[in-house]
Amino acid sequence: MKSFMNQDFLLSNETAKTLYHNYAARMPIVDYHCHINPAEIAEDRQFDNIAQVWLGGDHYKWRLMRACGVEERYVTGDAPDIEKFKAFARILPRAIGNPVYHWAHLELKRYFDCDLPLNENTAEEIWNLCNARLQTKELSVRGIIRKSNVTTIVTTDDPVDDLAHHKRIADDPSFSTAVYPCWRPDKLLNIERDEFLSYLPKLAEAAGVTELNSMAAIRDALKKRMDFFQEAGCRSSDHGIGDIICAPADEAELDNILKKRLSGACITNEEANAFRWAMLLFLGEEYHRRKWVMEIHFGTVRNNNTRAYKSLGPDTGYDAIKNGDCMPGLGSLLDTLECKGCLPKTMVFSLNPNDNAAIVSMIGCFNEEGVPGKMQHGTAWWFNDNIPGMVAQITNLANMSVLGNFTGMLTDSRSFLSYTRHEYFRRILCNLLGEWVENGEYPADMDILGALVQDISYNNAMRYFEFND
């Protein structure tokens, strides 16, 4: 029997061990999509205790706690931090097979040199050990980033954000990790939601205009804000979309839809889709012109628990996987932009694992001469970033496209300790490649295999987003 999470954790064959220890483990990290707060990097926040850095904002852990019947005051409520931590420690042993169990113990090992399994009996000792370490500069926010060997971070930012923290970080010669913004215009695209009406004045103010009462005015404002983001180093966008629906409309129709919404009236689903489609096409053209990557996340049913949403707000652990066929809409979006000669580099994620093969087959229709890997299937996301989910995504990509072009892992996290997810991914990747090699499906050429692993772990993403330029 193997010891718990030893140095060869998840590496079941000799080829995998060589690939991971000699190649993958040595590579830095580029975290090209995450939700960490740039203010905490700029300020080099020092966390008071492990609950703050571990449980704050982590809806993965919150869902596990709720599934075990833990009272909400110990999840997101006003219970003391130590009680929240102990509540999590009590339920964690029940989560066998869940990636959070592995992630939590990788984080304890890598950041706190703690090999103890976390449970009700060890909680107090681990609490004290972690908290003592968190008081050192080695585990301040910047210390964690340095310890994790992260060269590049891309946060998620609204078009109205002032990006002051990004500028402060960039101007600080004592911190070498590059921190870039990513353009996330979801609040603008969701015209049917209540927040749209309160959002437009914020966008107008940020763009330095008086009002946004036409499609042309909105486009001009967005161009100004994209110029501002580009000056701050932005080179990617991200869209969280429930459905991609092709709904063409002319300029007069779009202006009427906008006017109707600005009057406070509700609009139909068809009208909302027409507005969103027009915005996606405009933004796609701008991304191409600016050489930004367009990231698309779809397949999510959000905020399913109305009571919880009213109490806790969005992004608190009440989203689910959406069933449905998004491929016609995705294909129409890519094709329309391609026909205009302005399809940007595009990375597609779906929360529904059943979409894996469909995504790879669809994006494979839109590659470009001289641009290796232009169209990317994003790594296994959210409910899928577990062992079978990652294996399935990698296998689909390898079977139907070119795995060597893959941009690899990201954290998509709000936690500064989640960089160990890159280690988790790399171990799974190396083990799968090792299985293929030892089964005689690929030659045991370690120079070629090692370069392939290092490209997928780090180099491909750096080239794809042009972070070295």
Side-chain angles (χ1 to χ4, degrees), residues 236-282:
S236 60
S237 65
D238 185 43
H239 296 269
I241 304 174
D243 289 302
I244 303 172
I245 298 175
C246 177
D250 63 31
E251 190 77 355
E253 290 175 308
L254 293 168
D255 278 339
N256 285 334
I257 292 169
L258 179 62
K259 182 179 179 181
K260 178 180 176 181
R261 189 70 185 98
L262 291 175
S263 73
C266 294
I267 58 176
T268 66
N269 289 337
E270 290 76 15
E271 289 170 332
N273 290 331
F275 177 85
R276 192 159 26 249
W277 179 254
M279 283 288 99
L280 283 172
L281 292 180
F282 161 73

Side-chain angles (χ1 to χ4, degrees), residues 359-379:
I359 289 173
V360 179
S361 66
M362 178 61 75
I363 64 176
C365 301
F366 295 96
N367 283 302
E368 181 179 338
E369 293 181 22
V371 189
K374 174 180 177 177
M375 309 301 290
Q376 287 283 329
H377 182 200
T379 191

Side-chain angles (χ1 to χ4, degrees), residues 288 294 334 337-338 341-346 366 368 374-375:
H288 179 267
M294 177 171 68
L334 300 180
L337 291 169
E338 174 72 12
C342 54
L343 176 63
K345 291 180 181 177
T346 302
F366 295 96
E368 181 179 338
K374 174 180 177 177
M375 309 301 290

Side-chain angles (χ1 to χ4, degrees), residues 68-171:
C68 292
V70 175
E71 294 179 44
E72 191 65 31
R73 68 181 300 258
Y74 296 101
V75 181
T76 62
D78 60 359
D81 285 344
I82 188 171
E83 296 303 323
K84 291 181 177 180
F85 179 76
K86 287 183 176 180
F88 177 66
R90 281 193 296 272
I91 66 94
L92 186 59
R94 305 187 68 82
I96 184 171
N98 192 293
V100 172
Y101 191 87
H102 290 152
W103 297 344
H105 287 94
L106 279 175
E107 291 165 7
L108 290 175
K109 285 175 176 286
R110 301 296 177 251
Y111 297 108
F112 303 101
D113 297 319
C114 176
D115 291 323
L116 290 173
L118 178 60
N119 54 51
E120 185 174 11
N121 297 325
T122 61
E124 186 85 27
E125 181 178 355
I126 292 174
W127 169 264
N128 291 329
L129 169 64
C130 293
N131 292 350
R133 290 289 185 92
L134 283 168
Q135 303 317 304
T136 68
K137 291 304 291 182
E138 182 185 20
L139 291 185
S140 68
V141 161
R142 293 190 181 190
I144 291 169
I145 293 170
R146 292 188 187 100
K147 187 177 180 67
S148 306
N149 196 17
V150 183
T151 66
T152 310
I153 296 170
V154 181
T155 59
T156 303
D157 308 277
D158 191 277
V160 305
D161 290 347
D162 63 13
L163 306 183
H165 301 300
H166 293 82
K167 186 177 188 307
R168 180 178 169 188
I169 296 165
D171 291 343

Side-chain angles (χ1 to χ4, degrees), residues 25-75:
R26 298 179 178 182
M27 298 305 289
I29 288 173
V30 48
D31 197 21
Y32 57 84
H33 175 71
C34 70
H35 297 275
I36 58 175
N37 187 348
E40 294 180 332
I41 304 176
E43 297 160 2
D44 196 17
R45 179 180 176 182
Q46 199 91 39
F47 293 97
D48 296 327
N49 59 63
I50 181 64
Q52 289 180 0
V53 67
W54 231 19
L55 297 175
D58 192 338
H59 54 81
Y60 285 87
K61 295 185 177 77
W62 295 349
R63 284 176 69 102
L64 295 187
M65 296 171 77
R66 290 174 186 139
C68 292
V70 175
E71 294 179 44
E72 191 65 31
R73 68 181 300 258
Y74 296 101
V75 181

Side-chain angles (χ1 to χ4, degrees), residues 430-443:
C430 290
N431 192 66
L432 183 57
L433 297 184
E435 288 178 359
W436 293 343
V437 170
E438 300 209 2
N439 197 39
E441 299 175 41
Y442 194 90

